[in-house]
Structures are given as C-alpha cells and as structure tokens.
Amino acid sequence: MSLRHAMLGLLARGPASGYDLLKAFEASLANVWPATQSQLYTELGRLTDAGLIAVQAEGPRGRKEYRITQQGREELWHWLTEVEPDPPRRNDALLRVFFLDQVDPGQARAYLERRAAAAAAQEAALLGLREQVAAQDDPLARYGLLSLEYGVRISAAVREWAQWAVEQLDAGGALAPANPAGPAATTADTGTASPADSPAHAANPSAATGG
Amino acid sequence: MSLRHAMLGLLARGPASGYDLLKAFEASLANVWPATQSQLYTELGRLTDAGLIAVQAEGPRGRKEYRITQQGREELWHWLTEVEPDPPRRNDALLRVFFLDQVDPGQARAYLERRAAAAAAQEAALLGLREQVAAQDDPLARYGLLSLEYGVRISAAVREWAQWAVEQLDAGGALAPANPAGPAATTADTGTASPADSPAHAANPSAATGG
DNA sequence: GACAGCATGTAACCTGTTACATGATTTG
DNA sequence: CAAATCATGTAACAGGTTACATGCTGTC
C-alpha cells in the first residue's frame, strides 16, 4: 500500500489537487512508483475517508485542493521510520536467464548483450540527468540526488554483470540447448513425450532480485 | 504475463504436475518470480486451453502430469528471444528516499543505515549460497549461477550506495526536516494550512528502479 | 471560436494474495 | 492408525491498468 504513502509524501510538501499530484508522479516518481490518474482519484477518496487528508479549497473547474492532516503526517512518519520496505520481488529480465538453457548459446549471448546495452543506455541517460540536476542546486533536490545516484549505480552494476555473463558464456564453452524449439522447428505437436522426461526441477536455489 | 512463461520454462525441462511446479517455484524462482499455489493451478488450466501444454498422464491422488506442446515451446522461444523484458517499476525502499526530507536527519541517516545493513545481509547470504552451488558443479546450474551472481552484485551495489548516501548526509550538513510530524507531535488536526503552502512539486525528475 | 490544457470521475478487466475446502497415499 | 505429504481446486479481495465519459477555462 505504498501509493497512499507516496501521495501523503507529496501532500506533506504542500496542498495539491489530484491533477497536481498526477503531474508530480509523472515528473518525479515515474521510475520509482508510477501511478495512473484513475488510481490517484480513487485513493484521494479513500485517504479523505480515512482522515489522512482533507479538501482545503475548491477552485475553478471543479478543482479540489487537498492538504495533509496531522493524522496523515503521523501515518507518513510511521511509514518512513518504522515500516520495513519490502524488496522488489519480480524481475522479468532475470527470469529469462533461468531459461536461457532452452535456446542456443548464440541467442543466450545475444540476450545478455541486449541487457548490457539497455543498462548502458539507462546509465548514460541518468548521468546526463544528474548533471542537469546538480547544476540547479535546489535544496529540495538533495534527497532526490540520492535516488538518482542509486539509479546510476544500479544500472552500472547491471551493465557490468551482463558483460561479465557474456564473458562467462564465451569462456565456458558452448552449451547445447536442452530442448531446441527454434522459430523454424515448426513440426506439429505430435503428442509424443518431450526429449527430457525427468520431472521439472530447479537449476539452483536462486538469486535475489536486488533491492 | 511472465508467470505463464516461467511455467513453460519449467515444463520445457520435463513433464511435471502443478504440485511439482509449486515446489520448483519455491526452490528456484522464489526471489525472481514468486507464484502461489492458487495461481499455478489456475494458469495450468489456461495454458491447457491455449494448447501450450497438455495433460500427459494421470497419477495416484488425482495427480495430473503436464507436458509442454510444440506450440508451447514456440511461445517460450518467442518470449526468450523476441520479447523485451520490462524493467522493475516499483521500489518501495527508494520511494522512501524521496520523502526523507520529511523526517529529521538522524532518522534519515538511520533509515539509510538499515538499507545498508539489509543489503549486506543479503549479499552475505548469496555469497554463502554461491559457494554451495559452485561446489556441486551441476551443468544445469550454469545459467543459475549467472542469476546468483546478479544478486550478489546488485546487493553489493545497494550496500555501497547506502553507505555513500550516509556519508553524503554527514558531509552535507544537517538539513532540517521540511515538515516535522514526529511521533510525539500529536496536536490534533486544527484545520489550519500546513507550513508550506506552495503546491506539491517534484524534487527532481528522478532515478530508475534498476533492472 | 477553436484548441490545448485543466480537472474529475467511473467501469471493466487482469494479476496476484489469502483463505477456504477437500481428499488420497505413504510412512513411521 | 496417526501424521506428514501429496494433490487439486475455488472464492473473496486488493491493487493496478486501460478505457470510457464528461465538462470547464484560458489563450491564440
């Protein structure tokens, strides 16, 4: 339920409408906690019912400006200092790595190289952004810069990992794919058992998603 | 829709029942793509309807053993080589960093130190696991080791980032919290406007979740 | 007066989580 | 025979996404 806390966090900086919050989410939280318009308006209602925020003023086009209440501040404080964040649980890109033995080594290698390129691109983008942000010396950007740095470091680590993984494949000798399926292997399903007949089992007890 | 592909990936290694898949998810995919029992059985039905898997045999206690079909192999191949993975979008721990200006610097520092400790603990656990896995020299563990290494590197990067962030706070001089709320500041909500009256705005255009 | 932007709200759908419900088989 | 484990299935709910629906206001 972090959406609610993200909203409280933004409202703690000053009153805002649903529309204002939407812009703030798009501009600053898009990569950390995205939210849709629909979600925001629904949650504004719930937060109001719960007494954590209240309508402060009504404006021109049905605009409702919300402010955080004392109860809301307390909830925000509690979340910030007493609730342990839950780590990201799912990683689509890493999931594919588990099944890379199903394609031929060239494709596995290509996959990892695409990961490296994607991470490098993100790293470059964030480095550019950091220059911009650092230049404007906004005191509010202080903590924002911490999260930017996080992004820079994580994308660098991912890039380095993917590059290392490619080297591992190259060094380790080509593994044949366990169960070739290929784009051209379009033989109709015959109902015969697959080449491997042992029950599915784990390759290893796994790594974490990182967080 | 990666659950379906994770299941196809496991079934591509050999036939399995819903129960077998559940064990495989718990043992090897828990930190990359967790799934509940309920989800697995529901999805087995859908995969069967879609013709991507089929019941191969029925066993003792109503056990149904599924195998992947050729169509299923093609779908798996497509997902592995042609679908770009979507990056993790939400990061609960990093979201809090955006709002650390709402608590006093000591609490912000403590928060970052807890992140560093958590990352260090995870790193240590994964290093231990890597030793175990490396010792058994299982050829199937080849790609599994790549994901383990990913976990090790990401937790190291997070740990280093959090340590760096603590240093930044210490060096940068204490910032006063923008809007103190505190656990003791229990004044009833009076309805008066909060100290900051400007509309909520972004601290900066943000960092990425990493992936 | 047209258009961009401000502004709010609802419905349908999908994924995932928790909890409920039930029963067969193997092992000590 | 009791307990652990194997084994499957459904219902209710929560959070998030997409799409629909509507209308006002300021500016060129």
Side-chain angles (χ1 to χ4, degrees), chain A residues 2 5-6 9-16 20-21 24 27-35 39 56 67 69-70 73-74 76-77 79-86 88-103 105 107-108 111-112 114-115 122 126 129 133 136 138-151 153-154 157-158 160-161 164-165 168-169 172-173 175 179-183 185-189 191-211, chain B residues 2 5-6 9-16 20-21 24 27-35 39 56 67 69-70 73-74 76-77 79-86 88-103 105 107-108 111-112 114-115 122 126 129 133 138-151 153-154 157-158 160-161 164-165 168-169 172-173 175 179-183 185-189 191-211:
Chain A
S2 290
H5 297 107
L10 289 174
L11 286 172
R13 293 187 182 144
D20 292 338
L21 290 178
S28 76
L29 299 178
N31 294 302
V32 171
W33 207 273
Q39 247 182 312
Q56 188 187 40
R67 64 181 175 81
T69 63
Q70 183 59 32
R73 274 184 206 286
E74 280 157 26
L76 177 62
W77 186 88
W79 175 75
L80 278 170
T81 61
E82 294 171 347
V83 180
E84 281 308 284
D86 39 67
R89 295 192 172 290
R90 296 185 162 81
N91 189 324
D92 198 9
L94 198 53
L95 177 61
R96 282 173 175 76
V97 174
F98 271 79
F99 302 118
L100 245 26
D101 62 344
Q102 301 296 326
V103 297
Q107 282 165 334
Y111 174 76
L112 292 166
R114 283 201 305 279
R115 288 315 99 229
Q122 183 175 243
L126 292 176
L129 192 54
V133 174
Q136 52 188 48
D138 175 358
L140 258 179
R142 174 72 66 94
Y143 287 96
L145 273 172
L146 296 188
S147 68
L148 231 180
E149 178 73 18
Y150 179 95
R153 286 172 181 240
I154 295 300
V158 172
E160 283 160 17
W161 165 80
W164 167 88
Q168 291 300 107
L169 289 196
L175 282 191
N179 287 298
T186 335
T187 348
D189 184 41
T192 53
S194 70
D197 268 336
S198 55
H201 66 282
N204 87 20
S206 172
T209 294
Chain B
S2 290
H5 298 109
L10 290 174
L11 286 172
R13 293 187 182 145
D20 291 338
L21 290 178
S28 76
L29 298 178
N31 294 301
V32 171
W33 207 273
Q39 246 183 313
Q56 187 187 40
R67 65 180 173 82
T69 63
Q70 183 59 30
R73 274 185 205 286
E74 279 158 26
L76 177 61
W77 186 89
W79 175 75
L80 278 170
T81 62
E82 295 172 349
V83 180
E84 281 307 286
D86 40 67
R89 297 191 169 292
R90 296 188 162 80
N91 189 323
D92 198 9
L94 197 53
L95 178 60
R96 282 173 174 77
V97 174
F98 271 80
F99 302 119
L100 245 26
D101 61 344
Q102 301 295 325
V103 298
Q107 283 165 332
Y111 174 76
L112 292 166
R114 283 201 305 280
R115 287 316 96 229
Q122 182 174 244
L126 293 175
L129 191 55
V133 173
D138 174 359
L140 258 180
R142 174 73 65 93
Y143 288 97
L145 274 172
L146 297 188
S147 68
L148 232 181
E149 178 72 18
Y150 179 94
R153 286 173 181 240
I154 295 299
V158 172
E160 283 160 18
W161 165 79
W164 167 88
Q168 291 299 108
L169 289 196
L175 282 190
N179 289 299
T186 336
T187 347
D189 183 41
T192 53
S194 70
D197 268 334
S198 55
H201 66 282
N204 86 22
S206 174
T209 294

Side-chain angles (χ1 to χ4, degrees), chain A residues 46-64:
Chain A
R46 290 191 194 132
L47 283 164
T48 305
D49 291 348
L52 304 180
I53 64 174
V55 176
Q56 188 187 40
E58 311 218 359
R61 313 165 188 81
R63 175 188 170 95
K64 291 193 232 168

